[in-house]
Amino acid sequence: MFSPARSCLPASTSVAKHCVRNVLASSYATVRSTRPSSLPEPDEPDISSNDFILSILRANPSLRDTKSYLQSFGPRVRPVQQSTLHAPDLSLPPFPTSQGAVNSTQDPAPVHGVAKYILNPIHRRTALVKLQGPFTDRQLESVAKGMVYLEKLGLTSVIVVELDDWVRGEPNEKANAVDETMRVVSALEQQGARARPILQSVVRLGPKPGDHDPEQHNDDTIPAPEAHTLPQDLNPIRSALRAGEVPVLPPLSLDSFCRSVRVHSNDVLGALARGMVEAAEASNSEASLSGHDNPDDVDLTPLRLMIINKEGGVPSYARNGFPHLLVNLTAECNHINDTFHPSWRSTNPTALENLALARTCLSYMPPSSSAIMVSHRSPKSLIGHLITNKPELSSSLPHALLQGNGKVTAHTPTILRRGLPVRVVNHAADLDHDKLSKLLEGSFRRTLDADAYFRRLDECLDFAIIAGDYAGTAIVTNELPRAESSRISAPEPIAYLDKFAVRPENQGDGTVDFLWVALHDESYGLGLSYAANPNGGKEGRGEGRDLVWRSRADNPVNKWYFERSTGHLRIGKWVMFWCDAEKRLKIEEGRRGYAGLSKVEEWEQGRLSIWAKSIEDIPSSWSA
């Protein structure tokens, strides 16, 4: 099952064909230069021209995805500011929110209008690409075709080659690196691209002058690149991009004696990420001061980092070795290293070093940037990632659903975001009232009755999960069942999801999924081996509890809740959702063996009625 932004795919082949016919005319000029190729080998996927267009349609971008894409590639009004962005002929209304939910998903944008702008990008952007072979000719052809299609969508790759079987210090190591570079250039040109090999060194070994200044890098836990680049070093890359050519670089660097030596591609990519961002910032400053802008210039700021290899993404202990779907580098990097199984060092030997590479590069790139670790078997994933900036499947979907639908395979890509720190607060006194009020009012677009709300939290808060500096929150309270609803003298409190909110500017950057996964680990998923939340709180120890919440029946985000809940019940103007404690379900299934669960277990008798009557008594948090 796809995430909300992707869940409204064309229902029939006829619809898809209709959409293709409407975009073929505008896309003909885009795809006509692609040379036809022979049928691919069974284990090597290929992308035909029709697949290219269908990949765009299957990405099915939401309104927010469309707006984000247009901010990067669409028409702009000077000065370049998000608030002044206009998208002609596309209706992008404000994203509505309503009581009881964060606005975490939107309906898909109109297919015809989206395709019109996606297939005719106005502004070109850059991506850093680590091409990590060795690849066969057929594999390299498939990867090169993916790079060509990304360029047609407005994203020009700056490629650094790397081979896993290279040995440092081997004879002719520089010549071998140059040979592989020319092989990649040839593969790109065979697919209709214009490529330029940049064989001179564009990075220099050692720290950049001024790196001793702590303000040069905000996070001491992220290692600085072991190489650097100066503005004039980037002139060959800038020249190639201006000429409409794809720069392809061998992993070479100048040492302190100005000799060109082969280094690891990660050193080159880290230096380029920093240097290209700084060069773009300097160029934008000069353009602002002069008041002149070159519309044919390419923004050097990397929009994406793509690591294309034979391994795929980062293995996850929670998915039995299948890849992580979405990684919050700020909050999860150490946990991923700690839980990396020794056996994966043979199947995914470079996963952790690529994880470190993504963390280094994204620390310099804009917050909206992301990285993807993808197998050469999944080239079409690059198209969907470019358009939506999301994983193929939402990481916050139920674990059993992700494990059992066959969609997650060893070659499923891993999306990596810089992310935000996530922490668990167990005492209401530790909450910042002003920041939390601002977050809730900004997300729900209503005025909070702050005094009454925080008095209630003082009495019944179970825990609150806070993302970043109050960029998002999930607040869970303990609600006592109504006396007439319970037949026992000391009823267990109901774990009630009181608020789930994300600031509008952080909706679409992965914060929603990061929050829900942490919520799962602290409530209904607690006690399972894969729910060891590394961000504080109970850290996986304890018994899971059923989680209950309500949302207005007309809330557009309910569709997102339907996909993540165990069940729902309509009660007047509300829809009540719940998630069953997963550990209890596993224990019950184990006790019954092959008999399975019955339709209504003994412990389920009457609980919906108790929940429904009890949550109706919860007062509104908002001012009239």
Side-chain angles (χ1 to χ4, degrees), residues 487-557:
R487 300 175 182 177
I488 56 179
S489 57
E492 180 183 356
I494 300 171
Y496 176 69
L497 178 57
D498 185 82
K499 291 290 182 291
F500 187 77
V502 175
R503 282 190 315 213
E505 56 267 34
N506 291 97
Q507 295 173 14
D509 68 358
T511 301
V512 170
D513 282 335
F514 297 145
L515 265 178
W516 193 270
V517 171
L519 173 66
H520 163 273
D521 293 352
E522 286 295 299
S523 57
Y524 64 97
L526 187 65
L528 299 177
S529 60
Y530 54 82
N533 180 11
N535 304 306
K538 301 179 180 67
E539 298 184 346
R541 295 184 292 272
E543 296 294 325
R545 301 169 60 194
D546 300 331
L547 184 69
V548 184
W549 69 98
R550 71 185 184 187
S551 175
R552 290 193 180 275
D554 59 352
N555 193 337
V557 85

Side-chain angles (χ1 to χ4, degrees), residues 124-127 147 151 155-159 185 188-189 192-198 235-249 296 298 300:
R124 293 179 294 156
R125 301 296 300 272
T126 58
M147 297 291 97
E151 185 185 19
L155 190 73
T156 302
S157 301
V158 178
I159 301 174
V185 168
L188 289 167
E189 290 180 339
R194 297 171 58 195
R196 180 189 300 188
I198 299 179
N235 286 339
I237 294 178
R238 195 189 299 270
S239 173
L241 294 173
R242 285 174 174 169
E245 299 171 335
V246 178
V248 185
L249 291 73
D296 297 325
V298 177
L300 278 182

Side-chain angles (χ1 to χ4, degrees), residues 427-431 433 451-461 477:
H427 304 287
D430 296 330
L431 294 172
H433 290 195
D451 292 339
Y453 183 66
F454 288 112
R455 280 197 304 270
R456 198 171 82 82
L457 290 187
D458 288 337
E459 298 173 357
C460 62
L461 178 70
T477 58

Side-chain angles (χ1 to χ4, degrees), residues 276-352:
M276 291 170 68
V277 168
E278 293 174 348
E281 290 174 348
S283 178
N284 290 336
S285 297
E286 292 176 2
S288 298
L289 291 174
S290 64
H292 298 289
D293 183 30
N294 181 4
D296 297 325
D297 205 357
V298 177
D299 189 346
L300 278 182
T301 305
L303 190 69
R304 299 282 189 273
L305 170 68
M306 293 184 259
I307 301 169
I308 305 173
N309 55 28
K310 304 181 78 169
E311 304 171 15
V314 183
S316 168
Y317 74 100
R319 308 198 192 285
N320 299 321
F322 283 168
H324 285 272
L325 298 175
L326 179 65
V327 173
N328 179 346
L329 289 170
T330 300
E332 301 176 28
C333 198
N334 292 336
H335 188 62
I336 292 174
N337 279 274
D338 294 342
T339 57
F340 197 83
H341 197 275
S343 64
W344 298 337
R345 298 187 184 278
S346 59
T347 59
N348 298 75
T350 64
L352 294 183

Side-chain angles (χ1 to χ4, degrees), residues 419-598:
L420 297 167
V422 178
R423 59 191 174 95
V424 179
V425 176
N426 294 303
H427 304 287
D430 296 330
L431 294 172
D432 187 312
H433 290 195
D434 291 338
K435 291 181 178 179
L436 184 56
S437 297
K438 184 177 180 181
L439 164 61
L440 296 178
E441 292 181 346
S443 178
F444 289 91
R445 299 185 181 181
R446 302 186 67 180
T447 302
L448 185 71
D449 186 357
D451 292 339
Y453 183 66
F454 288 112
R455 280 197 304 270
R456 198 171 82 82
L457 290 187
D458 288 337
E459 298 173 357
C460 62
L461 178 70
D462 186 2
F463 64 86
I465 302 173
I466 307 296
D469 189 18
Y470 288 82
T473 187
I475 300 174
V476 176
T477 58
N478 289 314
E479 304 294 339
L480 290 177
R482 277 172 46 169
E484 63 271 22
S485 301
S486 178
R487 300 175 182 177
I488 56 179
S489 57
E492 180 183 356
I494 300 171
Y496 176 69
L497 178 57
D498 185 82
K499 291 290 182 291
F500 187 77
V502 175
R503 282 190 315 213
E505 56 267 34
N506 291 97
Q507 295 173 14
D509 68 358
T511 301
V512 170
D513 282 335
F514 297 145
L515 265 178
W516 193 270
V517 171
L519 173 66
H520 163 273
D521 293 352
E522 286 295 299
S523 57
Y524 64 97
L526 187 65
L528 299 177
S529 60
Y530 54 82
N533 180 11
N535 304 306
K538 301 179 180 67
E539 298 184 346
R541 295 184 292 272
E543 296 294 325
R545 301 169 60 194
D546 300 331
L547 184 69
V548 184
W549 69 98
R550 71 185 184 187
S551 175
R552 290 193 180 275
D554 59 352
N555 193 337
V557 85
N558 285 344
K559 182 166 160 292
W560 196 82
Y561 285 150
F562 290 142
E563 295 175 338
R564 283 151 184 80
S565 62
T566 303
H568 69 277
L569 178 69
R570 295 186 180 274
I571 46 175
K573 65 180 180 180
W574 302 104
V575 178
M576 182 182 73
F577 297 90
W578 71 90
C579 290
D580 287 327
E582 294 179 352
K583 183 177 180 181
R584 183 179 62 230
L585 291 179
K586 286 185 174 292
I587 293 174
E588 189 69 23
E589 287 175 341
R591 183 177 66 82
R592 289 178 174 268
Y594 290 106
L597 294 172
S598 62

